[in-house]
């Protein structure tokens, strides 16, 4: 067991004695170091070493503590499994670390619940117990470096540093040019999580087979009745998305390799076959519908059949890009040869129904309370669609929401005239009229202006896609990871405030060359202890560098150091 005491505390033998003694920074560093070794062994194809390192990681104190912490503090921590137990105290969490043992472990059945889907159907979720969640989180720490190293380049679902916006950007690359493919196979796997073959998973997932088999065969409890599980990995489990990704890995690489073996490299390139996948939803481009119907679709069906899966007949179709298709809440369509990506009508309608329902069930609440409920929803929807052509959709959505809010206000004061209602609930702010807002009472007792989030004010900016071969567990790609994170955080006001603090603490000087950082020189946000090695995002672990100095740090051995206890900046030669 590693020494994990905080530097300013002491305990017998240097070993943590309680939950509060654990040095989480050191825990993350220890886990990350082992994950990097697993990723390196995976790249080298040394599977015996991968297995040995995975076994070592899952038996370590650091990994167990990290797994317990993850399930004890995430959003689902208050949702219990069939045993109705939650880990809501430091004492219980400390005891849970010692319970994460392979020997004698037997998972309990999952608690089955159903949540509504947009099409009116219900999606089954399986909720494991806290102990089973922690065991899954523990083994996921060992599986994720392997999964990342063997994933398809254009797989974007449930992976570190990847998102739906990355999948959208890759589709733009594949379809936007004049010479791009004009046909698309829009595919969906029927009940992917419910039908994955257990036998295939046990043979092919690179993890402890005995533990995996126990999870797959644990069964579910619904309305007091136990149901055995003969196939599938239930949605709701921490490790389930990664298992599904492992099952679908190879869809892109093996399809292209199969076409090359059958038709040759030159002919395959002319087919313009590109695969973009997000979890179990994927699209495949092609230059003709015959290629997709006669070559690609049969191969995909065979690929899925070996895993116990089939394509959904109602959701799988071949369309021309001029007709357009929906994917991940966006509509992709070429207008007179120009590809435009817009929020899909289905997505906008579903969001409006959700907003309207919130307004409907809060007829009598104070105006500031309703604004507090709506603003996170509006901001989240607008920011999700901000990388696409969304201004028209934003304006339309604001009008629809205004109409619902106007009805909400009029209903509350049936005896008042229109002008009275307008003055009570709406105001003019700058050049904007009819702003839904009020003077709300703050926690300090002072009044402040609170208004509804303006969807059209959300800036539309192109998303920069993550590089296909980026591996977050590869130390050689740490600089690229830092740059990617900085670019994605640059519009976040909280991070801009943090950079201002760093700039002030460094007196406006680069941490390596001690020269001024200006708008002309530019700057990079550098982690002293790399993120890939478990370094934190705390200000004490970050410094601002000139872009060229950043290159020197990563490739020429110069090291920038900023002590946590002082605002002074030092640098040394490695």
């Amino acid at each position: 067991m590693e020494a994990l005491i905080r530097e300013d505390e002491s305990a017998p033998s240097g070993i943590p004695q309680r939950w509060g003694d654990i040095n989480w920074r050191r825990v993350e560093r220890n886990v990350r170091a082992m994950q990097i070794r697993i990723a390196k062994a995976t790249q080298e194809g040394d599977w015996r070493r991968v297995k040995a390192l995975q076994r070592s990681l899952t038996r370590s104190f650091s990994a167990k503590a990290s797994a317990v912490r993850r399930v004890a503090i995430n959003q689902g921590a208050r949702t219990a499994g069939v045993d109705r137990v939650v880990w809501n105290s430091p004492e219980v969490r400390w005891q849970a670390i010692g319970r994460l043992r392979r020997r004698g472990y037997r998972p309990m059945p999952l608690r089955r619940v159903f949540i509504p889907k947009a099409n009116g159907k219900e999606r089954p979720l399986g909720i494991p117990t806290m102990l089973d969640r922690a065991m899954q989180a523990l083994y996921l720490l060992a599986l994720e470096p392997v999964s990342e190293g063997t994933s398809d380049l254009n797989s974007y679902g449930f992976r570190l540093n990847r998102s739906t916006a990355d999948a959208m950007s890759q589709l733009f690359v594949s379809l936007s040019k004049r010479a791009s493919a004009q046909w698309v196979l829009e595919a969906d796997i029927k009940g992917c999580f419910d039908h994955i073959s257990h036998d295939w998973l046990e043979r092919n997932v690179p993890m402890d087979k005995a533990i995996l088999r126990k999870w797959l065969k644990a069964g579910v409890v619904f309305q007091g009745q136990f149901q055995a599980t003969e196939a599938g990995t239930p949605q709701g489990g921490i490790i389930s998305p990664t298992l599904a990704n492992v099952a679908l890995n190879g869809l892109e690489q093996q399809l292209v390799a199969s076409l090359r073996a059958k038709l040759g490299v030159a002919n395959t390139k002319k087919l313009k076959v590109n695969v973009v996948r997000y979890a179990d939803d994927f699209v495949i481009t092609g230059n003709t519908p015959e290629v997709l119907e006669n070559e690609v679709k049969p191969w995909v069906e065979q690929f899925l059949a070996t895993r116990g899966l089939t394509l959904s007949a109602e959701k799988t179709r071949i369309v021309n890009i001029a007709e357009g298709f929906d994917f991940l809440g966006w509509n992709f369509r070429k207008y007179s040869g120009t590809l435009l990506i817009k929020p899909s009508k289905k997505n906008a309608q579903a969001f409006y129904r959700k907003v309207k329902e919130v307004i409907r069930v809060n007829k009598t609440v104070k105006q500031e309370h309703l604004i507090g409920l709506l603003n996170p929803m509006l901001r989240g929807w607008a920011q999700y669609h901000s990388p696409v052509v969304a201004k028209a959709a934003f304006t339309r959505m604001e009008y629809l929401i205004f109409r619902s809010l106007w009805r909400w206000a009029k209903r509350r004061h049936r005896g008042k005239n229109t002008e009275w209602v307008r003055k009570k609930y709406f105001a003019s702010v700058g050049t904007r009229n009819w702003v839904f807002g009020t003077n709300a009472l703050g926690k300090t007792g002072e009044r402040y202006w609170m208004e509804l989030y303006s969807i059209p004010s959300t800036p539309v900016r192109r998303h920069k896609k993550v590089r296909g071969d980026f591996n977050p567990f590869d130390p050689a790609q740490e600089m690229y990871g830092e740059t990617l994170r900085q670019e994605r955080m640059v519009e976040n006001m909280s991070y801009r405030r943090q950079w201002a603090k760093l700039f002030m603490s460094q007196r406006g000087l680069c941490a390596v060359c001690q020269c001024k950082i200006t708008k002309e020189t530019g700057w990079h946000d550098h982690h002293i202890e790399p993120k890939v090695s478990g370094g934190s995002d705390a200000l004490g672990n970050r410094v601002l560098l000139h872009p060229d100095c950043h290159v020197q740090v990563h490739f020429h051995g110069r090291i920038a150091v900023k002590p946590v206890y002082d605002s002074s900046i030092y640098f040394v030669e490695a």
Side-chain angles (χ1 to χ4, degrees), residues 524-541:
H524 282 177
D525 184 353
H526 169 70
H527 289 71
I528 298 170
E529 183 178 354
K531 286 279 288 183
V532 75
S533 301
S536 72
D537 279 326
L539 293 182
N541 189 47

Side-chain angles (χ1 to χ4, degrees), residues 189-202:
I189 300 172
K190 185 177 181 179
C192 178
F193 284 88
D194 297 328
H195 297 103
I196 299 178
S197 168
H198 284 180
D199 291 338
W200 191 94
L201 289 174
E202 290 178 25

Side-chain angles (χ1 to χ4, degrees), residues 209-249:
K209 309 299 182 186
I211 294 292
L212 177 59
R213 188 180 303 112
K214 289 179 180 180
W215 287 335
L216 297 176
K217 301 298 183 183
V220 299
V221 172
F222 180 60
Q223 295 181 344
Q225 299 294 319
F226 175 81
Q227 301 171 5
T229 48
E230 300 301 329
T233 173
Q235 296 186 62
I238 288 178
I239 204 171
S240 294
T242 303
L243 293 179
N245 265 342
V246 172
L248 296 176
N249 281 343

Side-chain angles (χ1 to χ4, degrees), residues 49-181:
R49 182 162 177 76
V50 168
K51 187 175 180 180
L53 291 170
Q54 286 181 320
R55 188 188 311 116
S56 177
L57 177 61
T58 55
R59 294 179 180 180
S60 71
F61 177 87
S62 288
K64 291 178 180 180
S66 180
V68 171
R69 190 188 192 204
R70 173 175 177 174
V71 302
I73 66 175
N74 67 8
Q75 292 183 346
R78 286 180 284 184
T79 304
V82 293
D83 61 355
R84 302 296 177 182
V85 172
V86 294
W87 294 345
N88 53 9
S89 71
E91 292 77 19
V92 173
R93 294 170 187 175
W94 175 253
Q95 294 171 3
I97 296 175
R99 295 173 60 194
L100 299 186
R101 297 191 185 95
R102 182 181 187 278
R103 179 177 296 179
Y105 169 67
R106 295 193 55 159
M108 297 183 70
L110 294 90
R111 182 162 67 92
R112 172 62 56 86
V113 296
F114 291 88
I115 59 174
K117 296 171 65 175
N119 59 6
K121 297 181 180 180
E122 292 184 322
R123 185 190 306 278
L125 287 183
I127 302 176
T129 64
M130 296 294 288
L131 178 62
D132 293 336
R133 273 179 253 177
M135 284 292 285
Q136 290 188 19
L138 175 63
Y139 280 84
L140 179 59
L141 291 173
L143 176 61
E144 208 164 30
V146 183
S147 174
E148 282 292 331
T150 56
S151 291
D152 290 325
L153 297 181
N154 293 309
S155 165
Y156 297 99
F158 305 114
R159 294 181 60 191
L160 297 172
N161 301 108
R162 297 182 182 232
S163 66
T164 54
D166 291 305
M168 176 272 296
S169 299
Q170 179 58 35
L171 269 178
F172 181 84
V173 171
S174 301
L175 296 170
S176 61
K177 298 181 180 65
R178 186 176 297 275
S180 297

